[in-house]
Amino acid sequence: MLPNKVNIIEVGARDGLQNEKSVTLADKVRLIDRLSLSGLSHIEAGSFVSPKWVPQMADSAQVFASIQQQADIVYSALTPNLAGLERAIASGVKQVAIFGSASESFSQKNINCSISESLERFESVIALAKQHNIAVRGYLSCTMVCPYEGIIEPKQTASIAKQLFAMGCYEISLGDTVGKGTPNRVSAMLEELLTQLPKEALAMHFHDTYGQALANIYQGLLMGISTIDSAVAGLGGCPYAKGASGNVATEDVLYLCDNLGIETGVDLEAINLAGWEICRALDKQPVSKVALAMGDCRV
Ligand code: HMG
Ligand code: MG
């Protein structure tokens, strides 16, 4: 049965812009401020990772200092280690996300350590976050397919997800990092996960490289998952997953949910406006089919 309501986590300003060569601070701030007017309740606004690894996110402290934060919106950031969390705390960030992988090779490529080393590292991040009353979300990449190892077994994904949850992540966001998942794989993964974790603790973070993200989300909705990560205009990708395209577009998720009678609390027109605006700044067209169909409705 489909849920009546879903929670949309907007990741375009992080997952989207981490993959763009040059975006000005002003354009990032304008995007987040626009998104803040759309009814979203959670916007991932930046990433306190090593600027040597992802220079696109080097100005996240300035982003947090410059955006007009609304009281009813969570503005979160990625923090891979204690150094990242300390920078996030100094910027007044109230919620962070750690990010691990279900695949050993991707863990090495993305965060330069093994899965078990990453879990050890996350223990201290979670402990310090707790001391500061900062909630921690957990991403798990390559939950179905890894760009280096191929198919990842549902049992492997479930085992790491369970550990992240037990360590104190309030939610595990299941990344289809390369967008090679299909509904049968989503179903097999969730079947395994739902024997070990409550459905309320799971979120879908599906990239759309092979055009399967909406079908995969629909499968997840049918299985009771009601938190969806999406990126305005379909921006994004991971610098360490070559060839992977953006997350499912927020516009496409909203169109689907609106027409399924599922409440999102988010205004499609406002997201479309924000998407076209950032795409003009990036000198590209939105990837979102819905945005292209609706057209650029600048005010
Ligand atoms: P490392 O090189 O092993 O770290 O990187 P290190 O501790 O040896 O430090 C090396 C240097 O980086 C030192 O500086 C540190 O101070 C500095 P130096 O002494 O050489 O001048 N450093 C930092 N600086 C600022 N902030 C920090 C920080 N940490 C170290 N937080 C590390 C390990 C994890 C830091 C690195 O691998 C990294 O930053 N990786 C991030 C990669 C990334 O951001 N990937 C994209 C996000 S994940 C994603 O997109 C997937 C997701 O969307 C889900 C999905 O789709 O699957 C979430
Ligand atoms: Mg991602």
Side-chain angles (χ1 to χ4, degrees):
M1 212 175 68
L2 293 167
N4 298 323
K5 209 176 155 195
V6 291
N7 185 23
I8 308 273
I9 315 277
E10 172 56 55
V11 299
R14 191 281 301 172
D15 202 325
L17 299 186
Q18 77 182 8
N19 225 34
E20 296 293 337
K21 283 214 166 59
S22 63
V23 191
T24 65
L25 174 64
D27 285 332
K28 289 181 181 177
V29 171
R30 195 198 305 270
L31 170 64
I32 295 167
D33 285 346
R34 268 257 188 253
L35 292 170
S36 295
L37 303 175
S38 67
L40 284 162
S41 57
H42 187 151
I43 298 173
E44 199 170 66
S47 189
F48 293 91
V49 297
S50 164
K52 285 182 194 145
W53 283 64
V54 185
Q56 294 91 328
M57 291 285 113
D59 59 359
S60 285
Q62 287 111 296
V63 168
F64 272 89
S66 310
I67 54 176
Q68 293 195 333
Q69 298 200 23
Q70 312 288 324
D72 53 351
I73 301 179
V74 171
Y75 298 89
S76 62
L78 298 195
T79 55
N81 53 14
L82 274 177
L85 179 60
E86 279 157 7
R87 290 174 58 211
I89 292 169
S91 291
V93 177
K94 303 281 190 316
Q95 185 173 141
V96 299
I98 53 175
F99 48 104
S101 170
S103 131
E104 279 295 349
S105 315
F106 188 76
S107 182
Q108 289 290 354
K109 298 269 186 203
N110 196 40
I111 51 175
N112 205 23
C113 63
S114 68
I115 294 173
S116 65
E117 283 164 343
S118 76
L119 294 176
E120 222 171 277
R121 199 181 273 179
F122 298 152
E123 291 274 13
S124 51
V125 175
I126 293 170
L128 181 62
K130 245 191 198 160
Q131 282 173 33
H132 288 263
N133 281 325
I134 292 175
V136 182
R137 192 167 196 246
Y139 276 107
L140 192 56
S141 287
C142 302
T143 56
M144 293 177 277
V145 182
C146 166
Y148 309 100
E149 293 179 20
I151 299 301
I152 301 293
E153 291 305 325
K155 278 199 187 320
Q156 163 77 359
T157 296
S159 150
I160 319 278
K162 201 174 155 191
Q163 291 179 70
L164 288 173
F165 188 65
M167 284 163 59
C169 293
Y170 75 89
E171 181 172 275
I172 312 302
S173 181
L174 303 163
D176 182 9
T177 317
V178 279
K180 285 191 170 176
T182 44
N184 56 322
R185 293 206 189 284
V186 171
S187 171
M189 169 180 71
L190 289 177
E191 251 171 46
E192 183 65 38
L193 275 158
L194 289 169
T195 62
Q196 311 195 30
L197 291 172
K199 62 181 189 303
E200 294 76 19
L202 299 174
M204 300 182 268
H205 179 104
F206 297 159
H207 286 259
D208 200 28
T209 321
Y210 284 75
Q212 304 298 303
L214 270 189
N216 291 340
I217 286 172
Y218 188 69
Q219 180 62 45
L221 290 171
L222 286 173
M223 296 178 78
I225 311 303
S226 59
T227 298
I228 304 169
D229 297 359
S230 62
V232 61
L235 296 171
C238 174
Y240 299 98
K242 220 168 170 252
S245 70
N247 277 97
V248 67
T250 308
E251 295 88 330
D252 298 7
V253 173
L254 293 177
Y255 184 86
L256 175 70
C257 290
D258 288 349
N259 284 282
L260 289 172
I262 299 175
E263 193 187 325
T264 65
V266 185
D267 179 27
L268 173 56
E269 300 274 347
I271 295 289
N272 189 44
L273 192 69
W276 279 97
E277 189 172 80
I278 186 66
C279 284
R280 277 198 300 279
L282 297 170
D283 198 21
K284 63 184 339 192
Q285 289 247 306
V287 176
S288 161
K289 287 246 163 127
V290 171
L292 292 172
M294 288 176 74
D296 185 354
C297 51
R298 75 178 83 178
V299 280

